[in-house]
Amino acid sequence: MDGARSVNGSANGGRSTNGAVGSGRPSEAGKGEKLADWADGRLGLYALAKSNMRKVFPDHWSFMLGEICLYSFLILILTGIYLTLFFEPSGVEVIYHGSYAPLNGIPMTRAFESTLDISFDVRGGLLIRQIHHWAAVVFIAGMLIHMMRVFFTGAFRKPRELNWVFGWTLLFLGILTGLTGYSLPDDLLSGTGIRFADGAMLSVPIVGTYMSMFLFGGEFPGHDIISRLFPIHVLLLPGIMLGLVVAHLILVFYHKHTQYPGAGRDQKSVVGMPFLPVYMAKAGGFFFLVFGVLAIMGGIASINPVWAFGPYRPDLVTTGAQPDWYLGFSEGLIRVMPGWEINAWGHTLELGVFIPFTLFPLILAAIGAYPFIEAWITGDKREHHILDRPRNMPVRTGLGVAWLSLYAVLLIGGGNDVVAMHLNLSINAITWFVRVSFFLMPVAAFLITKRVCLGLQRRDKDKVLHGRESGLIKMLPHGEYVEVHEPLAPGERFRLTQHEQEPPYAIGPLVDANGVERQVKGGQRVRARLAKAMFGSEARIPKPTTEEYKELTSGDHHH
């Protein structure tokens, strides 16, 4: 029997017939192990985890911007569930008799009354309310900054165009979700915002009045708006956003993470830490850090004190009524637009509201479509996993800064009354400043940014060719004094010169070798002009060549 297994041991790794091996282990697997084996046999979880849990992720501080968005979104869901348990989305009018004495005896909707109850009577209610509101502000701010990082570094290029669209949709839905949540308490400030939105809808020709009547259930303010916004805010929009977040993360995991240029990094290899345990441990700690910061903000920084504004009344408006910052862009457009209107055939077209109301989604649509526009201009079909340094793409970087400057200008326009009050300026002067800056500021920001990027490219080229300034002065044999430059390390030279400078798309000769004129479509001409403007000789400084480097670093040319 030497070397032969027992009957029961042949399928159990050599277990003996009495149910125990020589080490004394039980012959049968535990319930947890059996459940794991059963699940793995049907779902393949072990193989999936083994192949993906050790996936490498690069490490850079800017990648945490996306994590801030994710964690603040999770905190929004958790705090929103808590608030839903106590909030009553009803437009029924009641007389307040509660803990906040200054409003006792004041008529208000049940929605506003329940908001006051959450703030003053529910244990921890005010803290959760403020954490929820701060998390919304941080969530949208994080998405905007994260998308700007993606834009400036070219992380939207193939194969990540669809992920850019997912992120853009999340930003747009986040703004809408913030608007609906901001309006639910039915206080005087949020009611003013709803009135603003109603005026924008009424400016739409033909269908504007129908849209308003359908949304409000009759003439503004109606009685149905709160009960209709509530399911949109707590179910519809968060559900869509949660699905987009999951799809976004799946694509990030599938495509592998982008990384900044450096030694050992190329389009096929990633330098970083494994997903498990290093990245997961850091991500878990960062989640609690974000949660802690938001909790501190909610505890010590007041935001949206609805009791100070009072319940909404259609005949009143708050002084200095301002939306959250992410809606200041749209309000600024409408505030500074001249009050133009057209009266024809008994109808009035309010251009002073309709044009800004149309511009806002058009500007957002241009941002969402940009990756496809740039891909069409370049004609590049390759995958890109190495990020661009913003200075190496001056036109793209200039466009991004121009958009940010436009946003800042319109944010001033959206708060022109507050700016005028605090700085003791004329509101008309501020309005005209914003009107002029709307056209001039983006152009100036673009030109200045492009010049700065080209200057940084020249500095990088000089640093590669001549080395880094050491601060040491050397006297040459003929009496000349020069500063000694230290040559760059190979890894640093690679980082400064690894970017590609492909020739831009060009139409080519319009007449072939036989003298026959080529037919060139208008789209090709536009594409060629855009390619020359974005990637031509005036938009970049040529990289140093190997011959230039060898010539300058040999003999007496290098000091």
Side-chain angles (χ1 to χ4, degrees), residues 226-442:
I226 298 175
S227 58
R228 290 179 176 178
L229 289 180
F230 183 72
I232 294 175
H233 178 73
V234 303
L235 289 176
L236 179 62
L237 294 178
I240 297 174
M241 293 173 69
L242 184 60
L244 288 172
V245 167
V246 173
H248 186 78
L249 294 176
I250 289 174
L251 286 180
V252 168
F253 207 88
Y254 174 73
H255 289 141
K256 76 182 181 182
H257 206 292
T258 54
Q259 56 186 339
Y260 286 93
R265 304 171 186 179
D266 55 36
Q267 302 291 354
K268 296 182 179 180
S269 62
V270 178
V271 177
M273 297 294 181
F275 181 72
L276 193 71
V278 178
Y279 186 81
M280 284 296 294
K282 293 171 64 177
F286 193 49
F287 169 77
F288 288 107
L289 180 62
V290 172
F291 205 157
V293 171
L294 288 175
I296 293 174
M297 294 171 67
I300 66 175
S302 177
I303 186 170
N304 197 25
V306 295
W307 55 88
F309 307 128
Y312 177 65
R313 284 176 48 182
D315 59 328
L316 295 179
V317 64
T318 56
T319 301
Q322 300 295 308
D324 281 336
W325 68 270
Y326 47 84
L327 289 170
F329 181 89
S330 59
E331 183 153 342
L333 279 169
I334 292 180
R335 285 198 184 193
V336 303
M337 179 71 186
W340 298 339
E341 63 180 32
I342 297 176
N343 295 295
W345 299 292
H347 296 277
T348 300
L349 180 58
E350 191 61 49
L351 297 178
V353 179
F354 179 64
I355 292 177
F357 187 58
T358 307
L359 277 177
F360 179 66
L362 287 178
I363 293 174
L364 288 178
I367 296 173
Y370 182 84
F372 305 97
I373 296 174
E374 183 173 304
W376 173 70
I377 293 173
T378 61
D380 190 357
K381 306 295 184 182
R382 300 169 299 168
E383 290 191 359
H384 295 273
H385 303 289
I386 298 295
L387 298 173
D388 291 327
R389 300 177 75 207
R391 66 185 63 183
N392 293 329
M393 292 293 174
V395 174
R396 182 205 293 158
T397 304
L399 290 174
V401 174
W403 184 86
L404 291 176
S405 68
L406 177 64
Y407 193 101
V409 166
L410 291 175
L411 200 59
I412 296 173
N416 55 2
D417 53 344
V418 176
V419 175
M421 181 175 61
H422 285 281
L423 299 183
N424 196 25
L425 298 172
S426 167
I427 192 171
N428 292 327
I430 295 174
T431 300
W432 274 105
F433 166 79
V434 174
R435 288 175 178 174
V436 174
S437 298
F438 177 84
F439 298 99
L440 297 184
M441 191 66 72

